[in-house]
Amino acid sequence: MFDILDNTKEKKSKFNKAGNNKKVYIETYGCQMNFSDTEIVLSVLSDFGYNESADIEESDVILLNTCSVRDNAEQKIKNRLVHLKHYKKNHPERIIGILGCMAERLRNVLLEEEKVVDLIVGPDEYRKLPFLIENIFETGEKGIAVKLSKVETYDDITPVRKDGVTAFISVMRGCDKFCSFCVVPFTRGRERSRKLSSIIDEAKNLSGTNVKEITLLGQNVNSYRDNGNDFSDLLKSVALAVPDMRIRYVTSHPYDLSDKLLETMAEFSNICKFIHLPVQSGSDRILKLMNREYSVGHYKGIIRKAKAIMPGIGLSTDIIAGFPTETDDDQKMTLDLMEEVQYDGAYMFAYSPRENTKAYKYLDDIPEEIKQKRLEEIIELQRKISYDINEKLVGTEKEILVETISKKSPDFIMGRTDCNKSTIIPKDSHKIGDLVKVKITKANSATLFGEVI
Ligand code: SAH
Ligand code: SF4
Ligand code: F3S
């Protein structure tokens, strides 16, 4: 097996950059971090003459950028690999590689268990991809690189972005929070921040393109630090540097979301009034077992302050149903909190035990059918809350940034409000990238419908 050493300079000269012309097909799973990383991977590979192809049939290299956060995310990849065998049958030289969190978590095991896989590369090793791939083409030896780094931020790499009006900028990598259920600190390694100046440069470069909205990304953006600047300082600097751009961020952890951050959001009109603030549970006892480091009271305090200084702010959350030892009373506390906060939306999951995490040692004692029943209860309540909130917006006026043609009809377009709500309007003469003032005429739990004012 080939584990490349840091001899990249020497190796670089060996490859024919421009003349490579090999085609890479890549599928991305998991969170926005992975989508952002795929853009880094494409940049690294394009420097060595690889071109992205949307057509798997014509590809020389197939890459899956994977997620490990829950067991079903990994099962999806394993099923996909069964399918991918077919693409290797008539093209045995075609390389299949696993990138991302599953590569990092499963390492050699994945290579041994999944015979169709030639290449395993973890999130901090993407600079090595061209060398690993080339080596497989030359020698047929499988390749693996899964070291985590304390410093890698890919700061100098310009992501290859798809055309669109929205863009991600990754501002930090890794996570040191070690929530007891979560695999991310193991798959992504230690927290590290990019330089503020390089983030600002990237934002400014984007403002000369079609991009109209930037989302700053990190597993916990509150941990951002560069030279005495915290995340609020970064957010403010970006807001000032690109005043015509809408700015969003994910994800903020309730433990260390500061008043200063809320005040910065309130101060700048180009920072979207929307916070994704994962709560996970409405029970203090469960939060403690989850190692979330905040209480429900503290969480509600943040929400109160956010609503007070930004009336109409959009809120979303993540919730886990069926964490070990969770009782019906704990579940009730989660439902009560949802009623009280009135989230615009939520990502809701059944607890999935992950090897090596602290919670893996707890007994996974909630039977699957109870987990599912609680999850359904949470989903149903959220659907009702979202519907009630959206229904109240009928008759109001909003500004939307047009992102795409509607999936259902070419005569309609979809844009998002400041609060992140998908809104469908007739296409008329509007273009993707336009900011359009609309009056909301209809709503369901997921979508608003409007007419142009
Ligand atoms: N960094 C983000 C979350 C990243 S993972 C944050 O802390 O907010 C996204 C979501 O997946 C988590 O918020 C959690 O709700 C869910 N999740 C993570 N591990 C899980 C597990 N083992 N089982 C079920 N859901 C999980
Ligand atoms: Fe996972 Fe917690 Fe880090 Fe989020 S903050 S990535 S849930 S360990
Ligand atoms: Fe999944 Fe890794 Fe993101 S585990 S949620 S792709 S950081």
Side-chain angles (χ1 to χ4, degrees):
M1 218 175 294
F2 178 70
D3 187 351
I4 199 152
L5 301 168
D6 274 323
N7 57 352
T8 48
K9 275 206 189 86
E10 182 203 319
K11 281 259 175 187
K12 192 161 184 167
S13 58
K14 216 173 110 187
F15 300 121
N16 182 352
K17 266 175 109 158
N20 179 348
N21 268 333
K22 290 207 164 76
K23 295 207 165 53
V24 179
Y25 168 88
I26 182 161
E27 283 176 11
T28 309
Y29 299 81
C31 67
Q32 292 103 325
M33 275 323 286
N34 258 14
F35 284 82
S36 172
D37 278 0
T38 288
E39 298 172 345
I40 305 258
V41 165
L42 289 172
S43 178
V44 169
L45 288 173
S46 75
D47 268 356
F48 286 82
Y50 291 87
N51 296 310
E52 191 192 6
S53 169
D55 181 0
I56 192 166
E57 297 279 5
E58 65 161 25
S59 65
D60 301 290
V61 182
I62 299 172
L63 298 175
L64 305 184
N65 194 358
T66 61
C67 173
S68 281
V69 79
R70 286 168 293 277
D71 184 55
N72 56 13
E74 291 196 348
Q75 291 314 323
K76 201 193 254 176
I77 300 297
K78 292 195 171 166
N79 294 336
R80 186 68 182 128
L81 285 173
V82 173
H83 216 84
L84 288 183
K85 276 190 190 131
H86 157 79
Y87 293 98
K88 227 169 149 144
K89 222 178 222 157
N90 300 327
H91 294 274
E93 74 293 350
R94 188 177 266 156
I95 291 175
I96 297 184
I98 303 287
L99 314 180
C101 293
M102 219 173 142
E104 191 61 49
R105 196 179 88 76
L106 295 171
R107 304 176 168 211
N108 286 335
V109 175
L110 201 54
L111 215 47
E112 280 150 23
E113 283 180 358
E114 305 289 340
K115 297 289 177 240
V116 73
V117 173
D118 305 292
L119 176 67
I120 304 276
V121 185
D124 287 347
E125 297 267 48
Y126 295 145
R127 288 180 199 268
K128 291 180 183 165
L129 262 170
F131 311 107
L132 289 161
I133 292 175
E134 210 52 43
N135 192 64
I136 300 172
F137 279 130
E138 280 174 12
T139 67
E141 263 181 88
K142 299 194 175 203
I144 180 162
V146 288
K147 259 194 223 106
L148 287 170
S149 160
K150 289 198 176 108
V151 291
E152 179 63 273
T153 58
Y154 301 111
D155 215 12
D156 56 317
I157 293 178
T158 309
V160 173
R161 296 188 165 92
K162 296 260 166 347
D163 260 353
V165 291
T166 59
F168 295 129
I169 300 185
S170 158
V171 303
M172 55 175 300
R173 299 181 70 82
C175 183
D176 289 351
K177 280 268 173 284
F178 287 94
C179 301
S180 67
F181 52 81
C182 184
V183 81
V184 172
F186 303 94
T187 63
R188 293 256 160 193
R190 300 292 55 79
E191 276 169 10
R192 65 220 99 118
S193 300
R194 277 180 65 184
K195 283 197 202 68
L196 186 137
S197 56
S198 91
I199 296 167
I200 298 295
D201 287 347
E202 194 171 335
K204 280 188 177 157
N205 286 338
L206 284 172
S207 72
T209 67
N210 292 335
V211 172
K212 298 281 184 332
E213 183 182 293
I214 288 172
T215 303
L216 304 178
L217 283 185
Q219 286 300 351
N220 173 21
V221 292
N222 303 330
S223 299
Y224 180 85
R225 291 292 176 278
D226 178 52
N227 221 353
N229 293 300
D230 64 11
F231 183 68
S232 330
D233 300 320
L234 172 69
L235 191 61
K236 179 173 178 167
S237 304
V238 176
L240 286 169
V242 287
D244 297 331
M245 196 82 91
R246 270 184 175 187
I247 299 151
R248 302 185 185 279
Y249 65 87
V250 278
T251 304
S252 196
H253 192 293
Y255 167 71
D256 48 9
L257 191 155
S258 64
D259 283 358
K260 185 176 158 196
L261 177 56
L262 295 178
E263 281 149 19
T264 306
M265 287 180 74
E267 189 182 338
F268 291 91
S269 60
N270 59 332
I271 302 178
C272 291
K273 305 298 177 271
F274 179 82
I275 311 182
H276 178 63
L277 197 61
V279 70
Q280 314 298 357
S281 168
S283 154
D284 279 338
R285 188 182 66 82
I286 295 292
L287 286 177
K288 205 161 182 104
L289 286 174
M290 287 177 163
N291 195 29
R292 288 290 287 182
E293 296 182 296
Y294 54 84
S295 63
V296 175
H298 173 81
Y299 185 93
K300 285 184 191 169
I302 300 173
I303 300 287
R304 255 196 311 275
K305 168 120 196 194
K307 285 184 173 176
I309 66 174
M310 292 172 276
I313 188 171
L315 294 166
S316 69
T317 199
D318 293 347
I319 295 174
I320 298 178
F323 190 78
T325 76
E326 188 187 71
T327 62
D328 285 340
D329 280 349
D330 295 318
Q331 163 80 353
K332 172 90 180 20
M333 289 182 224
T334 299
L335 298 172
D336 288 348
L337 180 74
M338 292 168 69
E339 288 275 15
E340 188 173 335
V341 175
Q342 294 282 301
Y343 294 106
D344 293 272
Y347 299 91
M348 300 154 283
F349 314 101
Y351 171 66
S352 167
R354 309 310 287 134
E355 241 174 294
N356 290 324
T357 60
K358 192 160 174 232
Y360 194 69
K361 296 185 194 87
Y362 307 159
L363 187 65
D364 180 22
D365 61 347
I366 311 299
E368 204 47 46
E369 63 272 20
I370 306 242
K371 274 188 199 168
Q372 287 306 325
K373 187 184 136 280
R374 287 183 186 160
L375 179 62
E376 275 159 31
E377 229 174 15
I378 289 168
I379 292 172
E380 183 47 33
L381 175 59
Q382 184 52 48
R383 202 198 51 75
K384 189 178 149 297
I385 293 172
S386 298
Y387 179 78
D388 289 348
I389 293 176
N390 288 353
E391 176 82 336
K392 286 199 194 96
L393 293 174
V394 172
T396 63
E397 293 177 7
K398 299 276 166 205
E399 187 176 62
I400 64 166
L401 171 63
V402 179
E403 283 184 20
T404 54
I405 303 290
S406 161
K407 278 188 216 125
K408 296 204 175 129
S409 157
D411 298 333
F412 289 82
I413 47 183
M414 189 283 283
R416 272 176 213 280
T417 67
D418 186 62
C419 294
N420 214 21
K421 289 187 187 289
S422 310
T423 309
I424 306 286
I425 60 167
K427 185 166 182 297
D428 298 334
S429 56
H430 298 290
K431 298 185 305 300
I432 287 169
D434 285 352
L435 273 172
V436 184
K437 284 220 159 51
V438 301
K439 184 170 181 175
I440 307 303
T441 52
K442 209 171 79 174
N444 62 35
S445 62
T447 314
L448 303 176
F449 301 84
E451 59 193 30
V452 178
I453 300 170

